[in-house]
């Protein structure tokens, strides 16, 4: 493991990463992440699973540059992450569309802030809107969309800035089963076309196994990396694969790990 | 255009019903007002209450007809309108930037907040005696009173709007490397519009009160001045004409704000 880290030139590397939240009123400390060591290669699709509160969002927030590690560091393209950058974009867990902008204006928001809004990019934005299945809704306002449609706008917005690292925090959690599977396929299609390194958080284990090259299993108290599982299933992956025994073995294995972690965690929070 | 889009996603039949609902409410309101006027007229006609106190709709219309052909009355209206416009615009031009900046910058907020909070609850008309001494009984003192009364609701609303910004939006903007100024322009400013318009509406009401009270207290012209004299000389109908002029101005100005609101919040759910 240490050897391969020296040989390869990873896209992202987390070294001895600790993140501690300090409540500025009480001074109370919560260790959200403890000693996270991992590497992600260029073009890899990574899924993170783990019980609620184990620090998945915290990890992404550290990668996007919102949170400073209390110890250790994260290197992106061998450069230490010090704050948000144009090379990353994030699809947030909570809705974050501007209510007074229509779908197209929202999708353009990221590039607009980066002063890169050209007519070509606008065409790209329209393409992504179509790709996430919202063609014809360009002029609609967020309140006219369902929660799942809003999440898809978020995805289109994150893709339009054309990041080299895409961070997705439970982007499909508000979708119904059919749309979810459709979006999983679409995301894989977009990913195979663009080969953007992606980190995807989900609570659905079969979603993780279906999408990922590797699945990171996080445990809680404090948040730590429990396992790093390589998913050796050929691509392109058909949805039918989800009923394959080979696929289900991965799912079972990860289930076991998370169950074990959850039982350690208990319900005392 | 937008409305039609909205209908196409499945709100068919929604619009026609809404119109008839509006029409129904309008008819109810009209009937309610007419009933009120008729009762007023009858109460006055049969002297249930002394007409000297309550006048009557017909005599008010009569008084209005004579007053509105009198250039002197138009002069009173002009003076009041001038005082109000000047004072109110001043309150907008100074109040909005100060409120927005206070909501954005904590240090500036700490500097001005004690004064704004204290003066917001102070009845500004209590300062009238001193304002009259300082600015005279002419137009200037009324402008100052209108300004003072309208200023604080406007500042407070702008301030409040800025402090209730959606942190999720700010997080998203920051993830796209937004600068503070970009966040201000694309999130903070648009978020303030509905709050601001509310504050402006409050300020408007306060400004109208200021005009009347200011002119009542000490003045040489204006609707409030005319109204006071009419009252003192028991010309109740003329007094009511003044009240009506102010009320109608208030309704019209609030209507204009409503239109502005519509223009700025066309994205909002109905
Ligand atoms: N801003 C914060 N201040 C203090 N503690 C926080 C903060 N954000 C998260 N935490 C704590 O850090 C831990 C990890 O939270 P995080 O949101 O990263 O979990 P998560 O794995 O994303 O959970 P979920 O699956 O429910 O989204 C939790 O114990 C949480 O209470
Ligand atoms: Mg989370």
């Amino acid at each position: 493991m240490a050897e391969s880290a020296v040989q390869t030139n990873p896209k992202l590397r987390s070294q001895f990463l600790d993140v501690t939240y300090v409540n500025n009123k009480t001074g109370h400390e919560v260790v959200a992440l403890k000693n996270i060591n991992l590497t992600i290669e260029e073009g890899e699709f990574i899924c993170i699973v783990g019980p609620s509160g184990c620090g998945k969002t915290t990890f992404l927030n550290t990668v996007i540059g919102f949170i400073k590690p209390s110890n250790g560091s994260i290197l992106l393209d061998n450069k230490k992450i010090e704050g948000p950058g144009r090379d990353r974009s994030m699809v947030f867990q909570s809705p974050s569309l501007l209510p007074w902008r229509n779908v197209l204006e929202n999708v353009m928001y990221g590039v607009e802030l980066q002063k890169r809004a050209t007519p070509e990019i606008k065409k790209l934005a329209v393409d992504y809107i179509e790709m996430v299945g919202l063609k014809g809704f360009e002029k609609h306002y967020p309140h006219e969309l369902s929660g799942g449609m809003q999440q898809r706008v978020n995805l289109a917005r994150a893709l339009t800035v054309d990041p080299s690292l895409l961070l997705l925090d439970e982007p499909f959690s508000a979708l119904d089963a059919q749309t979810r599977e459709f979006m999983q396929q679409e995301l894989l299609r977009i990913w195979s076309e663009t080969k953007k390194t992606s980190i995807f958080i989900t609570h659905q284990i079969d979603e993780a196994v279906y999408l990922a090259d590797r699945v990171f299993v996080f445990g809680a108290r404090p948040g730590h990396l429990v396992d790093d599982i390589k998913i050796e299933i050929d691509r392109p992956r058909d949805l039918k694969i989800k009923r394959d025994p080979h696929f289900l073995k991965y799912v079972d294995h990860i289930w076991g790990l998370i169950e074990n972690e959850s039982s350690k965690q208990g319900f005392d929070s | 255009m937008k409305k039609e889009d909205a209908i196409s996603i499945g709100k068919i039949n929604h619009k026609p019903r809404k119109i008839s609902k509006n029409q129904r409410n309008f008819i109810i309101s009209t009937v309610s007002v007419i009933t009120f006027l008729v009762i007023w007229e009858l109460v006055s006609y049969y002297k249930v209450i002394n007409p000297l106190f309550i006048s009557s709709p017909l005599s008010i219309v009569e008084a209005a007809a004579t007053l509105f052909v009198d250039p002197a009355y138009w002069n009173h209206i002009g003076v009041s309108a001038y005082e109000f416009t000047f004072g109110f615009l001043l309150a907008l031009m100074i109040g909005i930037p100060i409120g927005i900046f206070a909501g954005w910058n904590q240090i500036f907020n700490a500097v001005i907040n004690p004064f704004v909070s204290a003066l917001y609850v102070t009845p500004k008309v209590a300062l009238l005696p001193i304002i009259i001494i300082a600015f005279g009984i002419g137009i200037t003192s009324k402008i100052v009173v209108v300004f003072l009364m309208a200023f604080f609701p406007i500042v407070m609303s702008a301030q409040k709007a800025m402090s209730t910004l959606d942190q999720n939006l700010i997080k998203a903007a920051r993830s796209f490397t937004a600068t503070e100024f970009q966040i201000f322009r694309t999130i903070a400013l648009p978020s303030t519009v509905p709050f601001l318009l509310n504050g402006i509406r409050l300020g408007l009401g306060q400004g109208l009160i200021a005009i009347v009270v200011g002119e009542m207290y000490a003045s040489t012209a204006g609707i409030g001045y005319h109204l006071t004299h009419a009252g003192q000389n028991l010309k109740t109908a003329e007094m009511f004409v003044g009240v009506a002029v102010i009320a109608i101005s208030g309704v019209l100005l609030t209507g204009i704000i409503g239109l502005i609101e519509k223009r700025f919040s066309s994205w909002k759910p109905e």
Side-chain angles (χ1 to χ4, degrees), chain A residues 39-53:
Chain A
T39 56
I40 296 172
E41 302 302 325
E42 178 83 54
E44 257 191 318
F45 200 116
I46 300 293
C47 283
I48 301 180
V49 295
S52 183

Side-chain angles (χ1 to χ4, degrees), chain A residues 23 76 140 217 259 265:
Chain A
N23 187 316
L76 175 65
H140 285 246
V217 181
E259 213 161 40
Q265 185 181 353

Side-chain angles (χ1 to χ4, degrees), chain A:
Chain A
M1 181 75 204
E3 276 168 49
S4 70
V6 172
Q7 283 163 6
T8 59
N9 201 10
K11 179 76 185 165
L12 188 93
R13 183 197 309 216
S14 167
Q15 296 170 313
F16 314 112
L17 175 76
D18 294 348
V19 174
T20 307
Y21 288 109
V22 183
N23 187 316
N24 13 356
K25 281 192 200 117
T26 59
H28 183 73
E29 290 191 357
V30 179
V31 181
L33 292 173
K34 186 77 195 159
N35 197 25
I36 306 287
N37 289 292
L38 53 86
T39 56
I40 296 172
E41 302 302 325
E42 178 83 54
E44 257 191 318
F45 200 116
I46 300 293
C47 283
I48 301 180
V49 295
S52 183
C54 70
K56 303 180 297 294
T57 298
T58 303
F59 181 70
L60 279 206
N61 278 336
T62 316
V63 174
I64 195 87
F66 286 158
I67 300 177
K68 292 252 178 308
S70 41
N71 192 28
S73 60
I74 299 185
L75 303 179
L76 175 65
D77 293 320
N78 282 320
K79 278 215 313 272
K80 195 170 164 183
I81 290 175
E82 306 273 13
R86 292 185 175 196
D87 46 4
R88 281 153 284 156
S89 67
M90 179 140 156
V91 181
F92 290 90
Q93 188 170 6
S94 45
S96 58
L97 298 175
L98 305 184
W100 48 85
R101 285 181 174 230
N102 65 30
V103 168
L104 181 59
E105 290 162 349
N106 262 299
V107 171
M108 290 294 289
Y109 185 54
V111 281
E112 207 181 290
L113 290 173
Q114 299 176 355
K115 303 207 162 65
R116 299 193 284 133
T118 59
E120 292 87 71
I121 298 252
K122 195 163 184 170
K123 262 192 224 114
L124 187 71
V126 171
D127 285 349
Y128 277 128
I129 291 172
E130 184 173 353
M131 221 179 261
V132 298
L134 290 177
K135 192 178 163 71
F137 287 90
E138 290 85 354
K139 292 277 154 58
H140 285 246
Y141 287 85
H143 73 87
E144 298 171 315
L145 305 178
S146 70
M149 290 159 99
Q150 294 184 24
Q151 275 185 324
R152 285 183 271 161
V153 179
N154 275 325
L155 176 60
R157 181 175 70 183
L159 287 167
T160 304
V161 300
D162 196 24
S164 72
L165 176 62
L166 183 62
L167 307 168
L168 307 108
D169 195 352
E170 302 188 33
F172 300 157
S173 59
L175 302 182
D176 63 273
Q178 280 82 27
T179 317
R180 190 165 187 147
E181 295 213 312
F182 169 76
M183 287 304 298
Q184 290 168 0
Q185 278 179 301
E186 281 302 290
L187 184 62
L188 278 191
R189 195 176 56 74
I190 295 166
W191 173 79
S192 66
E193 277 171 20
T194 57
K195 282 290 171 198
K196 285 183 202 314
T197 315
S198 306
I199 308 178
F200 186 107
I201 295 178
T202 176
H203 275 124
Q204 282 203 352
I205 296 164
D206 68 330
E207 182 170 77
V209 175
Y210 177 69
L211 294 173
D213 291 318
R214 278 192 292 153
V215 176
F216 294 158
V217 181
F218 274 34
R221 314 242 148 157
H224 62 285
L225 185 62
V226 175
D227 207 349
D228 163 0
I229 299 150
K230 199 163 170 60
I231 307 295
E232 280 160 336
I233 299 176
D234 291 342
R235 295 184 190 269
R237 294 172 185 171
D238 192 273
L239 276 174
K240 277 199 285 268
I241 199 90
K242 289 189 178 182
R243 285 182 288 280
D244 192 278
H246 188 50
F247 182 95
L248 292 172
K249 238 170 72 188
Y250 281 117
V251 175
D252 273 349
H253 177 57
I254 295 169
W255 251 119
L257 290 170
I258 294 179
E259 213 161 40
N260 193 16
E261 283 304 315
S262 303
S263 67
K264 268 196 250 166
Q265 185 181 353
F267 290 100
D268 56 309
S269 61

Side-chain angles (χ1 to χ4, degrees), chain B:
Chain B
M1 168 76 181
K2 207 171 305 131
K3 288 231 172 78
E4 274 155 21
D5 287 353
I7 285 169
S8 70
I9 47 171
K11 294 188 197 162
I12 310 145
N13 286 338
H14 202 69
K15 207 175 170 186
R17 211 190 73 210
K18 200 151 214 170
I19 282 176
S20 69
K21 207 169 163 186
N22 283 345
Q23 281 174 336
R24 188 199 66 190
N25 291 347
F26 180 74
I27 292 168
I28 293 175
S29 300
T30 313
V31 171
S32 156
V33 170
I34 290 173
T35 313
F36 171 75
L37 291 175
V38 168
I39 292 174
W40 186 0
E41 188 67 43
L42 290 176
V43 165
S44 175
Y45 185 80
Y46 291 107
K47 299 198 167 39
V48 182
I49 301 172
N50 189 343
L52 204 55
F53 301 151
I54 60 165
S55 187
S56 81
L58 286 181
S59 26
I60 293 169
V61 170
E62 217 173 298
T66 41
L67 282 178
F68 284 135
V69 291
D70 182 359
Y73 196 68
W74 282 105
N75 185 43
H76 286 303
I77 293 182
V79 167
S80 293
Y82 180 79
E83 292 164 346
F84 177 82
T85 311
F86 210 116
F88 193 70
L89 285 182
L90 222 56
L92 287 180
M93 278 168 1
I94 302 175
I96 293 178
I98 287 186
I100 285 181
F101 192 58
W104 186 249
N105 186 304
Q106 291 192 357
I107 294 171
F108 182 66
N109 192 35
V111 172
I112 68 153
N113 200 37
F115 302 101
V116 173
S117 309
L119 282 167
Y120 180 67
V121 293
T122 308
K124 265 69 68 183
V125 287
L127 300 172
L128 259 177
I130 213 85
I131 291 168
I132 300 289
I133 292 168
F135 296 97
I137 62 166
I139 286 173
T140 320
S141 57
K142 311 308 173 299
I143 293 175
V144 172
V145 182
V146 171
F147 170 78
L148 282 178
M149 299 260 297
F151 180 75
F152 292 97
I154 292 171
V155 172
M156 294 282 273
S157 67
Q159 199 180 2
K160 172 140 180 284
M162 298 295 284
S163 59
T164 54
L165 294 180
D166 185 347
Q167 291 303 317
N168 285 322
L169 300 186
I170 294 181
K171 247 171 56 188
R174 282 203 207 291
S175 79
F176 294 116
T177 68
T179 61
E180 290 293 301
F181 179 72
Q182 283 179 319
I183 293 173
F184 180 77
R185 188 174 54 80
T186 60
I187 298 175
L189 276 187
S191 311
T192 56
V193 170
F195 287 87
L196 257 185
L197 285 169
N198 240 340
I200 292 173
R201 198 174 287 138
L202 280 175
L204 201 91
Q206 295 283 303
L208 287 173
I209 294 173
I211 278 290
V212 178
V213 178
E215 288 177 354
M216 273 182 174
Y217 184 77
S219 64
T220 52
I223 292 287
Y225 169 84
H226 183 269
L227 181 156
T228 315
H229 278 253
Q232 282 165 352
N233 297 318
L234 298 180
K235 295 181 191 161
T236 323
E238 282 193 18
M239 192 201 79
F240 273 111
V241 174
V243 172
V245 166
I246 291 160
I248 290 167
S249 315
V251 169
L252 286 181
L253 289 170
T254 313
I256 292 172
I257 291 175
L259 287 180
I260 296 173
E261 194 160 35
K262 248 204 183 123
R263 163 76 186 69
F264 274 103
S265 51
S266 54
W267 52 271
K268 263 196 181 162
E270 291 189 8

